[in-house]
Amino acid sequence: MSDSDKKIWKNYYKALEGCLIQNVKGDAEFPSFDAVRPDGKTFHIEVSRDPEGNGPGFLFGLESEFMAPVCPGFVVDNQGICHHCGRTEQEH
């Protein structure tokens, strides 16, 4: 991995600093978490193999100036909010 790529990933995961996990969800292979940022904004993160969701290992749901939010699929709750990324269908 190049130094540039390492910096991108470090900054991506740095978005977790200061956050608080509120709920653990999912299962052993694909755990997911509800969390709250220091500014009070809540968000949902999931673990998967890669940004495409092909298996366990990649953490979905973090915001980064280097990466657009990645969502493995649009799954909404009864208020029209995606369980994966917290966006509405119009924002997806």
Side-chain angles (χ1 to χ4, degrees):
M1 182 180 294
S2 72
D3 287 342
S4 174
D5 286 344
K6 287 177 185 177
K7 181 178 180 182
I8 288 170
W9 288 113
K10 181 177 181 178
N11 285 330
Y12 180 71
Y13 290 115
K14 191 174 181 73
L16 286 172
E17 290 181 359
C19 295
L20 175 68
I21 301 296
Q22 293 183 315
N23 296 303
V24 177
K25 298 179 175 183
D27 58 33
E29 289 189 15
F30 288 93
S32 63
F33 311 90
D34 289 330
V36 62
R37 295 185 341 191
D39 65 5
K41 180 179 176 184
T42 59
F43 63 103
H44 185 79
I45 52 178
E46 297 182 6
V47 179
S48 181
R49 177 180 297 165
D50 53 34
E52 288 80 33
N54 294 312
F58 179 81
L59 192 60
F60 285 100
L62 302 177
E63 294 181 13
S64 169
E65 64 185 287
F66 298 102
M67 294 181 65
V70 179
C71 184
F74 188 64
V75 180
V76 296
D77 61 17
N78 61 358
Q79 293 157 347
I81 303 299
C82 179
H83 289 278
H84 294 287
C85 65
R87 293 178 285 171
T88 65
E89 186 171 9
Q90 293 78 20
E91 296 171 318
H92 231 259

